[in-house]
Amino acid sequence: MVPKCGRAFDILDRDTVLGYPMGYSDVEADDYSEREDWRGRKVHLLGASPPKQYAVMQELTQPNLRDDPPANIVGVDWNGPHKMAYLGEYWSRDGWQPADHLSIRNTVRKSLEEIKQYWQDRGVWPETEPIDLYGPAVEEPNELIYMDQGGDPIGTREDLEAAYVERYEEYGRIAFLSEHAKKRWEYYEGLTLAD
């Protein structure tokens, strides 16, 4: 739940996870609330780069003169790496870096690796990750998608029969509209076929 007015804090249950807007939202948290409104609650930080998220995290969790309870930061998100990958840059702890040599997927992956390292350097990254708890994903999607069409689903049986489908070690089964599109994608991703 993302509160958009001060009265929401009086109405919402304390166990409700509150979204703290700090990205491209028209309404920022400071427009309708005070920092203490967020303390003692579960909070998910919405948007902004890791350094900005970390600054807010510190403000909401560190001891203060009023002895307010700290917020419980349950998560963060930011779509900046995905947006900037299309512009040929990845996020790093030293700022945005050119990524003309990387595919969009690998550009996003590089940003995510840097973000993970940023949080690990601050001792905030959890010790266990979902793959440690649950193991690798074992199910594949029910529907094949056209990788070269931005993930559009394959509609009919005839489309599936005409598609170029391959199995890759890292990504599983992927479909393409043409053999040329398949080879081009393999080249840019540096992929090999699974056995």
Side-chain angles (χ1 to χ4, degrees), residues 7-195:
R7 287 190 35 151
F9 294 94
D10 299 328
I11 298 169
L12 295 172
D13 185 280
R14 285 228 171 250
D15 288 330
T16 302
V17 176
L18 302 180
Y20 188 95
M22 50 189 298
Y24 290 114
S25 173
D26 292 339
V27 179
E28 299 271 332
D30 293 339
D31 294 338
Y32 58 87
S33 66
E34 302 296 327
R35 294 282 192 228
E36 55 265 16
D37 294 330
W38 299 88
R39 295 181 68 103
R41 294 180 175 269
K42 295 177 182 175
V43 177
H44 179 87
L45 303 179
L46 299 168
S49 66
K52 291 178 182 176
Q53 292 171 342
Y54 187 67
V56 170
M57 192 180 292
Q58 294 297 307
E59 291 175 17
L60 296 179
T61 61
Q62 294 300 312
N64 64 11
L65 296 175
R66 294 171 39 137
D67 203 28
D68 292 322
N72 178 8
I73 308 297
V74 298
V76 298
D77 66 50
W78 178 42
N79 65 6
H82 301 85
K83 178 181 177 183
M84 293 303 291
Y86 284 100
L87 301 176
E89 294 184 340
Y90 70 89
W91 187 86
S92 80
R93 292 162 283 162
D94 297 320
W96 292 101
Q97 304 294 324
D100 297 334
H101 61 292
L102 299 173
S103 67
I104 290 174
R105 179 184 297 271
N106 287 336
T107 301
V108 172
R109 180 176 286 128
K110 181 74 172 161
S111 289
L112 295 176
E113 289 167 355
E114 287 284 327
I115 290 168
K116 178 179 179 179
Q117 188 61 54
Y118 176 88
W119 291 117
Q120 286 177 328
D121 291 348
R122 280 144 191 83
V124 190
W125 194 263
E127 291 185 23
T128 57
E129 298 183 24
I131 196 166
D132 299 328
L133 298 172
Y134 308 110
V138 293
E139 293 186 25
E140 292 186 21
N142 291 333
E143 293 184 31
L144 287 171
I145 59 170
Y146 287 120
M147 183 55 71
D148 54 325
Q149 296 295 306
D152 289 341
I154 296 176
T156 66
R157 181 174 181 82
E158 292 79 23
D159 291 339
L160 177 59
E161 289 175 358
Y164 288 80
V165 180
E166 292 291 351
R167 176 179 271 299
Y168 301 92
E169 290 177 19
E170 189 173 348
Y171 301 104
R173 290 183 303 157
I174 297 178
F176 301 89
L177 280 174
S178 68
E179 185 175 11
H180 172 76
K182 179 181 82 71
K183 288 182 178 181
R184 182 175 185 272
W185 188 77
E186 288 172 350
Y187 173 79
Y188 283 109
E189 293 293 323
L191 295 177
T192 58
L193 298 177
D195 295 331

